[in-house]
Amino acid sequence: MSYAIIGFGSIGHALARAFARSDIEVSVATTRNPDAFAADAAKVGPTLKPATLEEAVRADVVFLAVRFENHQEVGKSLPSWEGKTVVDVTNAYGVPPEDLDRLPSSKFVAKAFPGARVVKGFNHLAAGVLEQDPAVGGGRRAIFLASDDDQAAADVSTLAERLGFSPIQIGGLSEGGLLVQARGKTWGRLIFKDLVAL
């Protein structure tokens, strides 16, 4: 299984640190030439592989850690996302529901990734918390996952465990997923909840 993180802002950095801590190789890409952020990636850890967007989207599991308004550009980098899992780490805070066709934001995101299995996750924690070691007081920091594809949710749960987190599946994108998605200027009830499973 191969992994990639698209976006190397604060959330992308936090995810990259989680992979580095667990010694799991992951490609990292932005819209910039990889040489532009290679030094930053090297500081995080040797398992990070700076890549072009075209190279990174070849991974089996792609973490979408870009600004919400940029997700469609990433989606255009492949004609079909069949067989891939996209972990939607974006937050659509401030985007009017009518601009999302009144869909939950991850359902709207899924339209830009035809054929992909979409999992909402790793977005409910602030970057400063997400980047910390998830081992806390004898327990593990919880990560909420929502998906309409049970196998994709199971696969990302397994990865979350490898990264040291305690995954909690909360149902489909239109049900439990709303707990970790913004609607307009309202945050889902689980956003910013830093919970530890003992």
Side-chain angles (χ1 to χ4, degrees):
M1 192 76 71
S2 56
Y3 306 103
I5 300 167
I6 310 299
F8 204 43
S10 57
I11 291 293
H13 269 87
L15 288 168
R17 287 189 176 93
F19 276 87
R21 260 194 316 269
S22 300
D23 201 30
I24 299 173
E25 186 171 300
V26 61
S27 296
V28 179
T30 71
T31 54
R32 298 177 293 157
N33 184 298
D35 292 340
F37 60 91
D40 283 343
K43 291 176 185 174
V44 176
T47 58
L48 268 66
K49 305 300 177 189
T52 63
L53 180 59
E54 292 73 20
E55 291 167 339
V57 296
R58 295 177 192 158
D60 300 311
V61 179
V62 175
F63 283 77
L64 186 64
V66 298
R67 290 181 179 275
F68 180 80
E69 58 266 27
N70 295 335
H71 77 273
Q72 291 172 326
E73 284 302 310
V74 178
K76 291 175 185 174
S77 59
L78 284 178
S80 171
W81 288 76
E82 196 70 40
K84 296 184 181 295
T85 298
V86 172
V87 183
D88 178 17
V89 194
T90 67
N91 277 313
Y93 182 82
V95 179
E98 53 269 24
D99 288 358
L100 303 176
D101 299 335
R102 299 204 170 274
L103 294 169
S105 63
S106 287
K107 285 273 198 181
F108 187 80
V109 164
K111 292 168 39 172
F113 297 86
R117 307 181 306 167
V118 175
V119 178
K120 185 69 172 178
F122 292 86
N123 69 301
H124 81 280
L125 294 174
V129 176
L130 183 62
E131 72 179 4
Q132 296 173 19
D133 189 331
V136 181
R140 294 180 298 154
R141 184 164 277 119
I143 287 292
F144 299 109
L145 302 173
S147 182
D148 294 336
D149 187 301
D150 291 343
Q151 187 58 56
D155 291 346
V156 177
S157 287
T158 299
L159 174 60
E161 289 178 341
R162 287 183 65 197
L163 295 174
F165 295 95
S166 179
I168 299 174
Q169 296 187 33
I170 56 175
L173 296 175
S174 295
E175 297 81 34
L178 287 177
L179 297 172
V180 288
Q181 297 182 42
R183 295 289 283 172
K185 292 191 175 180
T186 303
W187 290 108
R189 291 186 179 183
L190 293 178
I191 294 283
F192 305 128
K193 300 292 186 187
D194 184 12
L195 305 177
V196 175
L198 299 175

